[in-house]
Amino acid sequence: MTGSSGVPLRVLSYNIHGQRDDRAALVAVIRDAAPDVVIVQEGPRRFRWRRKSAALAESVNLVVAGGGLPALGNLLLTSLRVRVLATRCQRFPLTPGRHLRGAAYADCVVAGGARFTLAGSHLSTDPAERPAQAAVLKRELGAATTPLVVGADLNEGPDGPAWSTVAHGLTDAAVAADRAERLTYSCADPRSRIDALFVDPRITVVDYDVVDTPQTRRASDHFPVLVDLLLPVAG
């Protein structure tokens, strides 16, 4: 969509598979995208996670805004265009025998004066567990006081209950750009759109892409979602 005024923001939402694939390709993908913010799923969350997070950010000319181990691998990276005012991390209730999941949040202002809330999450692979996690995430998103930009690996498609919970009241960037047919997983056998970028309805979606290149196919098992937005400036 075009034709609206606002402050531009380029967002990359990316499940980087724990950096277990071609790291040089991963770095090249993020650099080539030239994002203002990166919402990372499956980022560093174990031994020396702070150092690993900082090394990833430095390699792509960004800084760590928040997340990491306290958010269970959800990591927020920002460029110098974006000033981070506050951050918080969330862990979803643990289901016995399952992996912990969570989310990261940052209250931000971008050069040009637009404030927004950045959020990233990664829901369970268990369909019985996801709806409750989505409800917890949605409650936290509902407390935001500035326009939301939410990137998530939901581990289910748009017809799923957890997806519907998170998406309610927000704009699905893929739908807004008429590109909902673009699949995000897996790079080896694209068959699902389980990675989403949702925004406040006051935010204009200018462009949306699922970046499918030889590099992205080597960098992770998910394709990155790259979105250009226009953020409203409060009067």
Side-chain angles (χ1 to χ4, degrees):
M1 286 195 267
T2 59
S4 298
S5 61
V7 177
L9 186 78
R10 173 165 281 194
V11 180
L12 189 73
S13 185
Y14 202 177
N15 183 319
I16 64 172
H17 200 211
Q19 300 185 85
R20 295 194 295 272
D21 301 295
D22 186 331
R23 191 176 185 280
L26 174 68
V27 169
V29 167
I30 298 175
R31 282 183 171 181
D32 289 348
D36 295 305
V37 298
V38 183
I39 305 169
V40 175
Q41 300 90 41
E42 293 196 35
R45 57 174 289 183
R46 293 184 175 88
F47 184 61
R48 294 180 176 171
W49 65 271
R50 289 185 180 86
R51 182 181 301 177
K52 292 174 182 177
S53 298
L56 174 62
E58 183 179 9
S59 69
V60 296
N61 302 315
L62 301 173
V63 297
V64 175
L69 175 60
L72 299 166
N74 295 288
L75 184 67
L76 305 176
L77 308 179
T78 59
S79 75
L80 296 181
R81 286 192 68 231
V82 178
R83 182 161 56 96
V84 177
L85 306 175
T87 65
R88 55 201 178 277
C89 296
Q90 180 180 36
R91 295 187 176 194
F92 302 141
L94 175 63
T95 301
R98 298 291 179 181
H99 295 296
L100 273 167
R101 303 282 180 166
Y105 308 88
D107 298 323
C108 305
V109 59
V110 66
R115 292 191 60 174
F116 65 102
T117 298
L118 186 66
S121 188
H122 186 189
L123 301 189
S124 174
T125 57
D126 182 356
E129 189 177 26
R130 281 195 300 270
Q133 292 179 347
V136 172
L137 173 63
K138 191 64 174 180
R139 283 197 295 272
E140 188 70 19
L141 295 175
T145 58
T146 57
L148 282 163
V149 176
V150 184
D153 173 359
L154 297 171
N155 268 311
E156 70 180 30
D159 58 344
W163 182 296
S164 297
T165 294
V166 178
H168 181 72
L170 299 174
T171 298
D172 181 336
V175 173
D178 196 25
R179 291 178 183 165
E181 80 287 352
R182 301 293 303 277
L183 306 179
T184 67
Y185 182 82
S186 70
C187 291
D189 179 24
R191 59 187 182 274
S192 305
R193 184 165 77 94
I194 64 174
D195 303 275
L197 198 289
F198 302 113
V199 298
D200 185 287
R202 291 170 289 179
I203 295 174
T204 300
V205 178
V206 177
D207 198 14
Y208 171 97
D209 191 21
V210 175
V211 186
D212 181 353
T213 66
Q215 282 184 323
T216 59
R217 287 177 178 261
R218 297 196 307 271
S220 176
D221 59 341
H222 289 245
F223 293 114
V225 173
L226 181 63
V227 184
D228 283 303
L229 304 172
L230 286 176
L231 305 183
V233 179

